[in-house]
Amino acid sequence: QVQLVESGGGLVQPGGSLRLSCAASISFSINVMGWYRQAPGKGRELVASITNGGRTTYTDSVKGRFTISRDNAKKTVYLQMNSLKPEDTAVYYCNFLVLDAFRGDYWGQGIQVTVSS
């Protein structure tokens, strides 16, 4: 079974930094890796994504502050979050999109990020 394991969340002060990691125990290629987040009372939104060709997208609110990257050998996606703001507080979910024989849309368990003084 495919399992995505997230790490790196926690409590940080405004202006601080965190790096989220999400690793999958799979041997096949992942077409698109992404990070979503869901704040209390709000819907889940796409924060950032990266294709297997290295093309990245970011939601406007995190541009210039967050950086998504991937390590294909380790089947891992990272989200470096700098200059964090209280409005970044949310549960963050990684998502892997696979379009080959193991086609699927796989999700991590969610990890809490809290930005507060």
Side-chain angles (χ1 to χ4, degrees), residues 18-70:
L18 288 172
R19 189 174 79 151
L20 304 182
S21 300
C22 178
S25 58
I26 57 177
S27 60
F28 46 86
S29 297
I30 302 164
N31 294 86
V32 184
M33 299 178 175
W35 288 95
Y36 291 73
R37 67 185 180 187
Q38 187 166 18
K42 297 183 178 181
R44 187 172 299 185
E45 67 168 338
L46 177 64
V47 177
S49 66
I50 183 168
T51 70
N52 56 10
R55 179 172 57 85
T56 60
T57 62
Y58 298 92
T59 190
D60 286 344
S61 64
V62 308
K63 288 181 179 177
R65 300 189 297 120
F66 291 11
T67 302
I68 189 170
S69 60
R70 61 189 286 169

Side-chain angles (χ1 to χ4, degrees), residues 6 34-38 44 91-95 107-111:
E6 300 180 359
W35 288 95
Y36 291 73
R37 67 185 180 187
Q38 187 166 18
R44 187 172 299 185
V91 176
Y92 285 70
Y93 301 86
C94 60
N95 172 262
W107 292 90
Q109 80 282 3
I111 188 166

Side-chain angles (χ1 to χ4, degrees), residues 1-5 23-28 102 106:
Q1 298 293 323
V2 174
Q3 184 174 9
L4 278 58
V5 180
S25 58
I26 57 177
S27 60
F28 46 86
F102 296 91
Y106 304 98

